[in-house]
């Protein structure tokens, strides 16, 4: 029974991923895509600032202090302080909206993330997944994640 539940949730998560993201093949990775990724990250930053202001007090009322929502960028898992969207066409570049706060069970990792762009690659070819802003409401997705963290 437990295995059936696990498979159900894995399939549900995969369906969600299929709906929210666009697969990008190696031959579609170009300067236009770089511009689109930069714009997506800029929009995500603006939305994150607004939602941080909106939800900070609500989190504090639950003992979850110092709500942080930001764009986290890394290459091959290494967070680099000055990395920008200009590096988004490097293999293993990932950008995501990260959410964290100080609370009773605080640790060094962030609590939630929404992937924006991930360019994964092998030795010769790569591909990526891009959050589909044309079919999804990023603000709503961030808000739903925040509400989940409040439960």
């Amino acid at each position: 029974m437990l295995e059936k539940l696990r498979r159900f949730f894995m399939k549900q998560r995969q369906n969600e991923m299929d709906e929210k993201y666009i697969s990008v093949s190696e031959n579609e990775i170009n300067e236009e895509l770089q511009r689109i990724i930069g714009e997506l990250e800029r929009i995500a930053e603006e939305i994150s600032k607004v939602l941080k202001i909106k939800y900070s007090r609500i989190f504090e009322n639950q003992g979850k202090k110092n709500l942080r929502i930001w764009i986290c960028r890394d290459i091959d898992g290494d967070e680099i302080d000055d990395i920008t969207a200009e590096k988004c066409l490097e293999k293993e570049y990932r950008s995501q909206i990260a959410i964290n706060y100080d609370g009773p069970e605080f640790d060094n990792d962030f609590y939630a993330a929404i992937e924006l762009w991930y360019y994964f690659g092998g030795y010769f070819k790569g591909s990526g997944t891009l959050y589909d802003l044309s079919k999804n409401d990023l603000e709503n997705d961030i808000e739903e994640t925040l509400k989940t963290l409040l439960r």
Side-chain angles (χ1 to χ4, degrees):
M1 179 66 172
L2 192 59
E3 182 61 25
K4 282 184 181 180
L5 281 173
R6 188 184 73 76
R7 278 185 283 174
F8 171 77
F9 287 117
M10 292 298 288
K11 185 175 182 177
Q12 188 176 14
R13 175 147 167 75
Q14 183 61 46
N15 288 342
E16 182 180 298
M17 293 292 286
D18 292 344
E19 293 172 11
K20 292 201 181 290
Y21 295 89
I22 300 169
S23 291
V24 180
S25 66
E26 180 76 28
N27 61 350
E28 297 172 304
I29 296 175
N30 55 37
E31 289 179 10
E32 176 64 15
L33 178 64
Q34 183 177 23
R35 187 193 63 72
I36 291 168
I37 294 165
E39 182 66 12
L40 174 62
E41 290 184 10
R42 186 191 62 73
I43 290 168
E45 277 183 310
E46 289 176 13
I47 292 170
S48 296
K49 288 176 186 175
V50 169
L51 291 177
K52 180 183 179 207
I53 292 167
K54 180 178 178 180
Y55 279 87
S56 286
R57 177 149 293 151
I58 298 167
F59 270 73
E60 285 181 20
N61 289 341
Q62 287 194 6
K64 300 171 180 177
K65 309 269 187 225
N66 301 318
L67 175 65
R68 251 183 95 206
I69 307 171
W70 75 102
I71 305 302
C72 177
R73 298 175 179 94
D74 67 72
I75 295 178
D76 200 23
D78 297 327
E79 286 185 50
I80 304 166
D81 290 334
D82 61 348
I83 194 171
T84 65
E86 291 177 7
K87 300 277 189 185
C88 69
L89 299 184
E90 288 189 29
K91 287 187 179 177
E92 302 305 325
Y93 174 96
R94 175 178 53 191
S95 62
Q96 53 192 336
I97 299 168
I99 302 171
N100 201 354
Y101 56 85
D102 299 339
E105 297 181 26
F106 178 75
D107 61 19
N108 290 330
D109 294 330
F110 43 83
Y111 287 95
I114 298 171
E115 295 257 343
L116 297 173
W117 164 247
Y118 181 44
Y119 181 23
F120 46 91
Y123 290 106
F124 303 108
K125 290 187 176 183
S127 60
T129 55
L130 179 67
Y131 182 88
D132 189 352
L133 201 52
S134 69
K135 294 181 183 174
N136 298 287
D137 183 346
L138 184 58
E139 183 173 359
N140 185 58
D141 286 346
I142 298 169
E143 253 187 305
E144 287 302 315
T145 302
L146 289 166
K147 289 174 184 177
T148 299
L149 291 172
L150 286 168
R151 291 184 192 135

